[in-house]
Amino acid sequence: MSANQVALWYLVASICFILALKGLSHPSTARRGNLLGIVGMVIAVVVTLALVYSHTKNVGMILAGIVVGGAIGVVVARRVQMTQMPELVAAFHSLVGMAAVLIAISAIHDPAAFGLPVPLPSGNRLELFIGTFIGAITFSGSVIAFGKLSGKIRSAPVVFAGQHWLNLVLALVMIGFGIMFFLAGDESKWLPYIVMTAIAFVLGVLIIIPIGGADMPVVISMLNSYSGWAAAGIGFSLNNPMLIIAGSLVGSSGAILSYIMCKAMNRSFVNVILGGFGAEPGAAAAGGGEKKTVKSGSADDAAFVMGNAESVIIVPGYGLAVARAQHAVKEMATKLREKGVNVRYAIHPVAGRMPGHMNVLLAEAEVPYDQVFEMDDINGEFGTTDVALILGANDVVNPLAEEKGSPIYGMPILEAYKARTVIVNKRSMAAGYAGLDNPLFYMDKTMMVFGDAKKVVEDIVKAID
Amino acid sequence: MVDHIVYYLIIFVLAVFVGYHVVWSVTPALHTPLMSVTNAISAIVLVGAMLAAGPAAFDWGGWVGVAAVVLASINAVGGFLVTQRMLEMFKRKEPAAKRAGGH
């Protein structure tokens, strides 16, 4: 296969990837989009296989690697539960990061295998340096994010004095070694490269540890973005336009998602990355000192109120995901609908641990997507709604966001407090992630139903006659 | 004569623009599948890994390449499959009341 043919096939694959993303503009075209993505990947792999075969005939180990990796991929994709999606995505990001580092090492060792000049020109070294450090940060950062999301390590922010200075110094030292690698002769290239890579791995850990659980939607989008830039960096160093195109698509996608998530919390990207948010529980919130009381009720009470309502809006949050209550919620909604109640769902962009987390859980429970509304589409409806049912959400419905001076001032919220009756399910009265009290819980029209979301919703289902 | 790197830079910038415009058209309800499919697409580094795993003289660099092939393959296959699984769920269902009515 000639180099021109290979390049043109790579162009076809690149177009498939663009169309794959394009398909996601609507649920009805999304599956076709994903299939196009698969077609693109298969084309890229087959063409590359043919290319290697025509050069060296050594394709045995490649095929073995693909079979082993593919089999693992099939098993993982089949077994994973929808509630585990955030940690699965984090784990997958780490694989791309590590693969990028390994490819860079291999390219430095044997440039000829990639059709690169020997010894490696300094331009390619610069690109390998960039691809490596982004890949290494993606790897170790994703491993930490995976640990936090799966509960294997504490998700609370880890902060210490001088943290940001330490990161800055490490980053500068890393760049210093990168420059040494760039300038080094062919004999002395390994030492600066290894030191640089090691520092990048450490930096990945340090960047993610100060960021707390509820900021994970930003972190996971950011790592998504990094994995794309790492692929693009490898594309530059291997002179491969398809890798550059695919990597750029992924990189910009992750960057846009990070932006959307930050906007939904009214915080700057820098503020999220510097971390520590919610580490000192709200001094501002403790202010009043007076003892406030909440009205609490049982699942039966909630069932009675909703059964007699005309309209109910359900606001799901991370608590619903933790309790795996999505199927019970769907059952409850079905029963209410059979009684003629108009049941809809309201999704805040940062509800859960990753962008779109709640939508996937509801889809898994077979909730039709035309009953599920984004924040901007449903916020006007709360005022004319009988019951807002909050399931395991807190900060995203906190009216303090509309009060000047509060730490979350300006964050767009779901205006559940405007509904005629508000029912809140929580496990306890503990403050939300922002460490803030929530005035919504103390309103006269609010009823608290304490307990595990799944248990409570199942009890409600039983109580609806 | 324009340098190679300049051509690649042009491709890079144009691809970022394409990505920017395509991704803003994605519906927020599908943001999780968007992450998993972009993740699968970033497994395109598999192409680089394959070159590393098939050198003329297979030494330790080849083994490093094989490891990269395995990691990237997990990512590519797993990423696309799990996206497909998720998207299968995003279908408009018959209203439950109708189904109960014996259709």
Side-chain angles (χ1 to χ4, degrees):
Chain A
M1 207 177 258
S2 79
N4 285 338
Q5 280 172 312
V6 170
L8 288 174
W9 277 113
Y10 281 172
L11 174 65
V12 174
S14 307
I15 289 170
C16 287
F17 295 144
I18 295 171
L19 292 176
L21 299 189
K22 183 85 189 147
L24 291 173
S25 56
H26 195 272
S28 60
T29 57
R31 266 165 295 145
R32 196 177 62 211
N34 192 49
L35 289 176
L36 277 172
I38 297 173
V39 169
M41 187 61 74
V42 169
I43 290 175
V45 169
V46 170
V47 168
T48 309
L49 212 52
L51 178 73
V52 175
Y53 188 77
S54 67
H55 280 208
T56 67
K57 303 258 184 296
N58 283 341
V59 293
M61 291 309 290
I62 299 176
L63 288 171
I66 291 177
V67 168
V68 171
I72 298 173
V74 170
V75 172
V76 171
R78 289 241 175 103
R79 290 226 178 126
V80 70
Q81 297 191 2
M82 286 303 138
T83 43
Q84 297 171 319
M85 276 319 292
E87 58 252 46
L88 178 74
V89 170
F92 276 173
H93 287 156
S94 73
L95 298 181
V96 176
M98 195 62 194
V101 174
L102 293 177
I103 294 164
I105 290 172
S106 189
I108 295 166
H109 168 65
D110 183 8
F114 298 84
L116 298 173
V118 187
L120 207 54
S122 51
N124 291 74
R125 285 215 200 160
L126 180 67
E127 292 151 3
L128 282 171
F129 159 58
I130 295 170
T132 301
F133 89 72
I134 302 177
I137 288 176
T138 309
F139 171 76
S140 56
S142 298
V143 168
I144 300 297
F146 169 80
K148 288 193 174 204
L149 287 164
S150 60
K152 289 187 170 59
I153 55 177
R154 265 165 48 82
S155 73
V158 177
V159 283
F160 51 87
Q163 191 165 25
H164 304 315
W165 287 111
L166 175 66
N167 289 354
L168 184 67
V169 169
L170 278 177
L172 290 175
V173 173
M174 180 189 78
I175 292 171
F177 278 98
I179 293 171
M180 280 171 65
F181 168 64
F182 176 65
L183 298 172
D186 203 45
E187 297 309 306
S188 53
K189 63 191 176 188
W190 280 111
L191 183 67
Y193 178 81
I194 290 168
V195 176
M196 181 272 288
T197 309
I199 296 176
F201 279 125
V202 174
L203 259 181
V205 174
L206 290 175
I207 289 174
I208 305 301
I209 52 170
I211 308 178
D215 282 344
M216 278 300 154
V218 179
V219 170
I220 203 164
S221 315
M222 180 182 90
L223 292 168
N224 185 238
S225 182
Y226 284 4
S227 71
W229 302 132
I234 293 297
F236 271 104
S237 33
L238 304 186
N239 299 342
N240 186 325
M242 176 177 62
L243 260 66
I244 297 175
I245 295 172
S248 311
L249 291 175
V250 178
S252 45
S253 165
I256 289 172
L257 286 176
S258 315
Y259 170 80
I260 294 173
M261 295 301 114
C262 288
K263 202 151 172 59
M265 298 193 292
N266 191 37
R267 291 170 56 199
S268 71
F269 187 68
V270 174
N271 178 284
V272 174
I273 295 309
L274 291 183
F277 193 70
E280 322 110 62
E290 71 203 84
K291 197 165 156 56
K292 291 181 281 187
T293 53
V294 298
K295 244 189 337 203
S296 79
S298 67
D300 287 358
D301 300 331
F304 179 77
V305 174
M306 287 193 286
N308 289 305
E310 272 179 20
S311 51
V312 172
I313 297 180
I314 299 172
V315 180
Y318 184 55
L320 176 126
V322 173
R324 300 165 199 265
Q326 66 269 30
H327 297 284
V329 170
K330 150 80 183 189
E331 207 186 334
M332 175 184 75
T334 305
K335 269 198 154 183
L336 287 171
R337 280 187 162 252
E338 280 168 6
K339 287 175 64 102
V341 184
N342 179 16
V343 183
R344 287 172 294 179
Y345 301 82
I347 311 287
H348 192 281
V350 292
R353 285 293 185 263
M354 72 185 293
H357 193 184
M358 294 297 124
N359 301 80
V360 169
L361 293 186
L362 292 178
E364 188 199 10
E366 303 194 356
V367 173
Y369 58 76
D370 47 11
Q371 293 173 16
V372 182
F373 293 86
E374 304 305 323
M375 177 165 65
D376 293 338
D377 297 330
I378 203 162
N379 247 349
E381 305 279 319
F382 279 106
T384 55
T385 297
D386 291 327
V387 180
L389 173 65
I390 321 286
L391 291 172
N394 189 347
D395 293 330
V396 298
V397 290
N398 193 335
L400 275 184
E402 295 179 354
E403 260 173 52
K404 277 208 170 104
S406 95
I408 58 168
Y409 173 66
M411 170 175 164
I413 58 161
L414 286 164
E415 295 166 351
Y417 66 90
K418 287 187 177 164
R420 293 192 189 97
T421 304
V422 181
I423 301 175
V424 180
N425 165 246
K426 264 170 79 53
R427 273 180 300 189
S428 69
M429 273 310 284
Y433 167 70
L436 276 180
D437 208 352
N438 191 338
L440 181 71
F441 302 157
Y442 307 102
M443 290 169 76
D444 283 339
K445 62 183 178 188
T446 301
M447 177 169 81
M448 305 294 292
V449 183
F450 293 108
D452 172 76
K454 190 174 176 196
K455 177 85 175 52
V456 166
V457 174
E458 282 171 350
D459 288 346
I460 292 177
V461 172
K462 275 183 222 145
I464 299 173
D465 36 276
Chain B
M1 187 59 188
V2 180
D3 257 342
H4 264 51
I5 179 105
V6 177
Y7 281 121
Y8 295 136
L9 208 58
I10 293 170
I11 292 171
F12 174 72
V13 172
L14 291 179
V16 169
F17 265 92
V18 171
Y20 180 86
H21 286 284
V22 171
V23 170
W24 273 115
S25 75
V26 172
T27 173
L30 295 179
H31 275 165
T32 298
L34 172 67
M35 297 206 86
S36 67
V37 84
T38 50
N39 178 243
I41 290 173
S42 65
I44 190 68
V45 293
L46 176 56
V47 166
M50 290 168 72
L51 297 178
F58 194 94
D59 59 358
W60 68 265
W63 285 109
V64 172
V66 173
V69 168
V70 172
L71 296 183
S73 304
I74 297 175
N75 199 205
V77 174
F80 280 118
L81 280 185
V82 87
T83 308
Q84 196 67 15
R85 234 186 95 193
M86 262 190 275
L87 292 175
E88 289 297 333
M89 305 182 317
F90 280 90
K91 287 178 180 169
R92 188 181 268 121
K93 302 291 190 309
E94 285 278 296
K98 245 190 189 169
R99 262 190 309 188
H103 275 269

